[in-house]
Amino acid sequence: MNWIPAFLKECRAIRALCMWPGCTTCGAGEFRRRLLDRAAIEGRVEGRNGDHDDVVGDAAGDATGDERRDERNKAISRGFRLGLLELQAGDQMEAGDHGVEIMLAEARGFQPDLETFLEGTIAGDLLAAIRDRAAAVARRRDRYQREMATAERAGRTRRRRRVWERRTSHEARLEAKQQRDDVLELAVARFARLDPVDRLKWLAKEDLEIPIDRIPEELLQIDVDPIVLLEVERIRLINRIGGRRRKWRLLRMTLEL
């Protein structure tokens, strides 16, 4: 019986055992440790009883630490080779199953030419499917990154355009205000050059060039006899002054006498 499908089934039954290759918390470390231990066991069994090179046991008294580590790595490599070569279509292993991707990645670490070694086998097809899935994921990631970069560039363009629009709109408002101020300043200057009677008639005319609030109060002539105005002009000016205070109120009182 092939040890790989059985081992993966046992590990999947352990709910607390992480078998996700992309785990950023534990990196599926416990599963990897169990996998390598099991591969080493399977490789040593075959080494003693099969036609492969014999592997000296870890308990050998004359083996150094480096020698024992090298012997373990050889056993792991042999265990992976045996298990992968014996995979059958009925084992029902899919590229997306839990643990399969990690298992093949660990096997590649001990068998660098794994793809060539497994070419034409069930395990080779499984390895190719995982490679294709990884390439598809990479393409989706690249497409997503390009889309995000495009969206970011578009966002920067929109932000720059909004800043430019706000700046030009503000400049346009300032320019329009300056033009209005220039017009008002000219109108006030013309008003200041008028004699007292003409100032009163100017204030009473039907259409004013500027709001009367822009007329400085010191330019108002309070002692002018309202008789210089027509009745319609006098009433219009009274209504125009309304409830304004200070010298405007005094002018209104004079007009109402």
Side-chain angles (χ1 to χ4, degrees):
M1 180 178 179
N2 190 350
W3 70 271
I4 290 179
F7 172 77
L8 293 178
K9 183 177 180 180
E10 292 172 4
C11 290
R12 290 169 190 154
I14 304 174
R15 299 187 61 180
L17 186 63
C18 176
M19 302 172 67
W20 184 42
C23 180
T24 57
T25 301
C26 67
E30 176 60 21
F31 170 68
R32 294 175 190 274
R33 184 189 64 78
R34 293 185 182 213
L35 175 65
L36 297 183
D37 288 347
R38 181 63 178 272
I41 292 173
E42 296 295 333
R44 288 193 181 101
V45 169
E46 183 64 23
R48 286 194 297 270
N49 301 310
D51 298 331
H52 300 281
D53 295 337
D54 191 22
V55 179
V56 180
D58 286 348
D62 58 347
T64 65
D66 290 341
E67 291 172 340
R68 286 193 297 270
R69 184 161 47 252
D70 186 56
E71 292 161 3
R72 173 179 165 81
N73 290 343
K74 289 180 180 179
I76 292 173
S77 178
R78 181 180 292 113
F80 277 131
R81 288 200 306 271
L82 293 173
L84 291 172
L85 286 173
E86 291 175 0
L87 282 179
Q88 303 297 321
D91 289 330
Q92 297 181 348
M93 293 181 62
E94 299 292 339
D97 292 343
H98 286 317
V100 172
E101 186 173 342
I102 293 178
M103 183 267 297
L104 289 173
E106 292 293 341
R108 185 182 288 108
F110 291 90
Q111 187 79 34
D113 59 343
L114 189 66
E115 295 186 14
T116 303
F117 182 77
L118 295 177
E119 187 174 357
T121 66
I122 297 297
D125 295 341
L126 186 62
L127 192 61
I130 290 178
R131 184 180 62 248
D132 292 343
R133 288 179 69 250
V137 170
R139 287 194 298 271
R140 288 195 299 270
R141 182 175 60 250
D142 292 342
R143 183 170 61 251
Y144 173 76
Q145 291 174 347
R146 289 195 300 270
E147 291 172 352
M148 291 297 295
T150 301
E152 178 61 24
R153 287 194 297 271
R156 287 196 299 268
T157 300
R158 287 194 300 271
R159 288 191 293 272
R160 286 196 296 267
R161 182 172 183 83
R162 284 197 295 267
V163 169
W164 177 81
E165 289 176 346
R166 285 195 296 267
R167 183 171 61 250
T168 54
S169 176
H170 179 65
E171 291 172 352
R173 288 195 299 270
L174 290 178
E175 183 178 356
K177 180 180 181 302
Q178 184 61 49
Q179 291 175 354
R180 290 194 302 270
D181 290 344
D182 293 341
V183 171
L184 293 173
E185 185 177 351
L186 290 174
V188 171
R190 287 196 300 268
F191 181 82
R193 291 194 295 268
L194 298 175
D195 60 44
V197 174
D198 289 338
R199 288 182 187 177
L200 197 61
K201 293 182 73 65
W202 189 93
L203 291 172
K205 65 183 182 179
E206 186 172 357
D207 295 320
L208 290 180
E209 301 175 31
I210 60 175
I212 62 173
D213 289 329
R214 298 303 298 263
I215 303 297
E217 291 190 14
E218 60 268 18
L219 297 179
L220 296 179
Q221 204 70 30
I222 305 302
D223 54 355
V224 177
D225 191 343
I227 196 172
V228 300
L229 297 177
L230 299 174
E231 181 62 17
V232 66
E233 293 176 330
R234 186 180 69 83
I235 294 174
R236 184 188 297 133
L237 185 52
I238 290 173
N239 292 334
R240 185 168 286 163
I241 293 173
R244 291 178 174 81
R245 298 183 178 183
R246 297 187 293 274
K247 295 189 71 173
W248 287 109
R249 183 181 180 186
L250 295 176
L251 177 59
R252 175 173 177 169
M253 291 172 61
T254 301
L255 295 172
E256 289 176 341
L257 291 177

